[in-house]
Amino acid sequence: MKITTFNPQIMTNNAKPIIELFQALGFQQNHNPKDIGELKVEDIRMKDANGFALDISSPSIPLPKDKIAIRMNVDDFDEAYKLLTDRGFKNYYGDKTVETGYSKSAFLISESGLGINLVQHIKKDEE
Protein backbone atom coordinates (compact mmCIF):
# COMPACT_ATOMS: atom_id res chain seq x y z
CA MET A 1 0.00 0.00 0.00
CA LYS A 2 1.24 3.45 -0.90
CA ILE A 3 0.06 6.72 0.69
CA THR A 4 -0.52 9.24 -2.11
CA THR A 5 -1.65 12.29 -0.09
CA PHE A 6 -1.83 13.10 3.60
CA ASN A 7 -3.37 16.25 5.10
CA PRO A 8 -5.68 17.55 7.86
CA GLN A 9 -9.44 17.31 7.52
CA ILE A 10 -12.31 18.86 9.44
CA MET A 11 -15.71 17.12 9.52
CA THR A 12 -18.55 19.45 10.41
CA ASN A 13 -22.25 20.09 9.88
CA ASN A 14 -21.53 23.84 9.57
CA ALA A 15 -18.78 24.32 6.96
CA LYS A 16 -19.37 27.99 6.07
CA PRO A 17 -17.60 29.65 9.06
CA ILE A 18 -14.68 27.21 8.78
CA ILE A 19 -14.31 27.92 5.05
CA GLU A 20 -14.40 31.66 5.78
CA LEU A 21 -11.75 31.31 8.51
CA PHE A 22 -9.34 29.47 6.23
CA GLN A 23 -10.00 31.89 3.37
CA ALA A 24 -8.95 34.68 5.75
CA LEU A 25 -5.78 32.65 6.39
CA GLY A 26 -5.01 32.58 2.64
CA PHE A 27 -6.58 29.30 1.58
CA GLN A 28 -8.61 29.06 -1.61
CA GLN A 29 -11.30 26.56 -2.43
CA ASN A 30 -10.10 24.10 -5.11
CA HIS A 31 -13.10 21.88 -5.65
CA ASN A 32 -16.37 21.10 -3.99
CA PRO A 33 -18.17 17.86 -4.93
CA LYS A 34 -21.61 17.69 -3.26
CA ASP A 35 -23.91 14.88 -2.24
CA ILE A 36 -21.37 12.21 -2.97
CA GLY A 37 -22.25 8.64 -2.24
CA GLU A 38 -25.13 7.13 -0.30
CA LEU A 39 -24.15 9.07 2.84
CA LYS A 40 -24.46 12.47 1.09
CA VAL A 41 -21.19 14.18 1.98
CA GLU A 42 -20.13 17.60 0.71
CA ASP A 43 -16.34 17.81 0.37
CA ILE A 44 -14.47 21.11 0.18
CA ARG A 45 -10.78 20.99 -0.77
CA MET A 46 -8.74 24.09 0.06
CA LYS A 47 -5.09 24.98 -0.60
CA ASP A 48 -2.85 27.88 0.27
CA ALA A 49 -0.09 29.52 -1.81
CA ASN A 50 2.46 27.05 -0.39
CA GLY A 51 0.42 24.07 -1.54
CA PHE A 52 -0.75 23.06 1.94
CA ALA A 53 -4.08 21.26 1.66
CA LEU A 54 -7.06 21.16 4.00
CA ASP A 55 -10.25 19.21 3.49
CA ILE A 56 -13.57 20.16 5.04
CA SER A 57 -16.32 17.55 4.88
CA SER A 58 -19.94 18.15 5.72
CA PRO A 59 -21.93 14.89 5.97
CA SER A 60 -25.71 14.73 5.95
CA ILE A 61 -25.68 12.73 9.18
CA PRO A 62 -25.66 14.87 12.33
CA LEU A 63 -22.35 15.15 14.16
CA PRO A 64 -22.43 15.90 17.91
CA LYS A 65 -19.43 18.20 17.36
CA ASP A 66 -16.78 18.90 14.74
CA LYS A 67 -14.22 16.16 14.24
CA ILE A 68 -10.60 16.71 13.31
CA ALA A 69 -8.93 13.98 11.31
CA ILE A 70 -6.19 13.12 8.89
CA ARG A 71 -7.18 12.52 5.30
CA MET A 72 -5.06 9.72 3.89
CA ASN A 73 -5.33 8.83 0.22
CA VAL A 74 -3.96 5.39 -0.64
CA ASP A 75 -3.55 3.27 -3.73
CA ASP A 76 -5.15 0.17 -2.09
CA PHE A 77 -8.22 0.92 0.03
CA ASP A 78 -8.85 -2.66 1.16
CA GLU A 79 -5.28 -3.19 2.36
CA ALA A 80 -5.22 0.11 4.28
CA TYR A 81 -8.71 -0.51 5.74
CA LYS A 82 -7.60 -3.92 7.04
CA LEU A 83 -4.36 -2.49 8.45
CA LEU A 84 -6.28 0.17 10.40
CA THR A 85 -9.15 -2.06 11.58
CA ASP A 86 -6.64 -4.74 12.66
CA ARG A 87 -5.20 -2.03 14.93
CA GLY A 88 -8.55 -1.25 16.54
CA PHE A 89 -9.91 1.52 14.29
CA LYS A 90 -13.70 1.43 13.84
CA ASN A 91 -15.65 2.67 10.83
CA TYR A 92 -17.73 5.67 11.95
CA TYR A 93 -20.40 4.71 9.37
CA GLY A 94 -20.70 1.13 10.61
CA ASP A 95 -20.03 -1.18 7.69
CA LYS A 96 -20.67 1.47 5.00
CA THR A 97 -18.22 3.25 2.75
CA VAL A 98 -18.73 6.41 0.71
CA GLU A 99 -18.48 5.29 -2.91
CA THR A 100 -18.69 7.49 -5.96
CA GLY A 101 -17.60 7.00 -9.53
CA TYR A 102 -14.23 8.49 -8.65
CA SER A 103 -13.45 7.46 -5.04
CA LYS A 104 -14.08 5.10 -2.15
CA SER A 105 -13.71 6.27 1.45
CA ALA A 106 -14.41 5.47 5.08
CA PHE A 107 -13.98 7.53 8.24
CA LEU A 108 -12.13 5.40 10.79
CA ILE A 109 -11.65 6.28 14.47
CA SER A 110 -9.23 4.73 16.94
CA GLU A 111 -10.18 3.96 20.52
CA SER A 112 -8.26 7.08 21.63
CA GLY A 113 -10.20 9.28 19.17
CA LEU A 114 -7.70 9.62 16.30
CA GLY A 115 -9.69 9.99 13.09
CA ILE A 116 -8.44 8.92 9.67
CA ASN A 117 -10.52 9.53 6.56
CA LEU A 118 -9.26 6.76 4.32
CA VAL A 119 -9.68 7.48 0.59
CA GLN A 120 -8.77 5.73 -2.64
CA HIS A 121 -9.28 7.61 -5.89
CA ILE A 122 -10.59 5.46 -8.71
CA LYS A 123 -8.79 6.10 -11.97
CA LYS A 124 -10.59 5.64 -15.28
CA ASP A 125 -8.17 2.88 -16.33
CA GLU A 126 -9.12 0.85 -13.20
CA GLU A 127 -12.72 0.38 -14.39
Side-chain angles (χ1 to χ4, degrees), residues 64-76:
K65 59 183 177 177
D66 292 350
K67 298 192 176 298
I68 309 303
I70 296 169
R71 177 183 170 139
M72 185 169 68
N73 287 15
V74 295
D75 66 346
D76 187 330

Side-chain angles (χ1 to χ4, degrees), residues 10-80:
I10 301 167
M11 298 184 73
T12 182
N13 291 128
N14 189 13
K16 185 179 178 184
I18 296 170
I19 293 167
E20 290 171 351
L21 167 66
F22 281 94
Q23 285 173 331
L25 293 168
F27 282 76
Q28 294 182 353
Q29 198 167 318
N30 282 61
H31 75 221
N32 179 211
K34 295 181 182 179
D35 293 333
I36 57 173
E38 175 187 345
L39 297 171
K40 305 294 184 220
V41 178
E42 179 179 1
D43 281 332
I44 299 100
R45 180 108 170 135
M46 301 184 82
K47 284 191 178 182
D48 76 353
N50 297 310
F52 293 117
L54 168 70
D55 290 292
I56 301 167
S57 292
S58 187
S60 60
I61 62 170
L63 299 172
K65 59 183 177 177
D66 292 350
K67 298 192 176 298
I68 309 303
I70 296 169
R71 177 183 170 139
M72 185 169 68
N73 287 15
V74 295
D75 66 346
D76 187 330
F77 180 90
D78 295 332
E79 181 182 358

Side-chain angles (χ1 to χ4, degrees), residues 54-113:
L54 168 70
D55 290 292
I56 301 167
S57 292
S58 187
S60 60
I61 62 170
L63 299 172
K65 59 183 177 177
D66 292 350
K67 298 192 176 298
I68 309 303
I70 296 169
R71 177 183 170 139
M72 185 169 68
N73 287 15
V74 295
D75 66 346
D76 187 330
F77 180 90
D78 295 332
E79 181 182 358
Y81 189 92
K82 182 176 180 345
L83 185 146
L84 292 168
T85 56
D86 284 353
R87 286 165 175 75
F89 281 77
K90 304 282 187 220
N91 186 337
Y92 187 79
Y93 304 124
D95 61 351
K96 294 183 179 185
T97 57
V98 177
E99 296 191 45
T100 69
Y102 59 88
S103 70
K104 179 178 183 179
S105 67
F107 185 59
L108 303 166
I109 301 177
S110 74
E111 189 175 313
S112 68

